[in-house]
Amino acid sequence: MSSIIKPIGAADTNQAAAALCELWPKYSPAEITSRIDEMLRPNGYNLIGLWEEGQASAVCVLGYRIQYSLWLGKSLYIVDIATLPQSRGKGYASRLVAWAEEEAARQGCAAVHLDSGVGMDRAAAHRLYMQRHYQIACHHFLKRLD
């Protein structure tokens, strides 16, 4: 089956919503779309998607931003990556991570990095990152204030 990777602009954010709802089920597709367009995009968030032939919406999406830090300098941070259940196991997430690595190089970034939750349900994602030679570089600490 053929597929295509392309950027998802603000006019088409809804085409990423179904896949992102798999990662963030507490949001409806409409909430995901509005939060991305009203809060995240103004702060540098970008979306890339992969479409299977004949699909109206992306079956796999990756959200990212370019950022600067004393730790890494200029880097591409993968914020979100999600695939619809029926499209998993086809290498789509790996293709989008490869795209992000190429985009980071194109933009002169020193690194690509991401955070990934813990738990048995995250094993497939962690395998993907390890297969692409990502290293566990730090612990991420969190204190909820809500």
Side-chain angles (χ1 to χ4, degrees), residues 2-105:
S2 67
S3 59
I4 185 169
I5 295 173
K6 61 182 180 178
I8 302 172
D12 298 318
T13 303
N14 63 320
Q15 294 179 21
L20 288 169
C21 281
E22 292 297 321
L23 184 62
W24 303 111
K26 67 181 182 178
Y27 299 112
S28 71
E31 289 171 319
I32 290 240
T33 299
S34 67
R35 284 179 180 262
I36 288 172
D37 289 343
E38 295 168 17
M39 293 187 216
L40 301 180
R41 284 190 191 274
N43 287 291
Y45 184 88
N46 300 285
L47 274 171
I48 192 80
L50 184 146
W51 279 258
E52 290 177 338
E53 187 175 346
Q55 294 293 316
S57 294
V59 298
C60 186
V61 297
L62 183 145
Y64 71 96
R65 68 176 173 260
I66 302 298
Q67 61 185 37
Y68 298 84
S69 67
L70 295 173
W71 173 43
L72 293 172
K74 186 178 184 182
S75 64
L76 187 148
Y77 179 72
I78 297 173
V79 180
D80 302 303
I81 186 164
T83 306
L84 291 174
Q86 66 271 21
S87 297
R88 291 181 184 153
K90 298 179 180 181
Y92 294 159
S94 185
R95 286 181 56 200
L96 289 186
V97 172
W99 181 94
E101 293 166 0
E102 291 167 9
E103 179 67 6

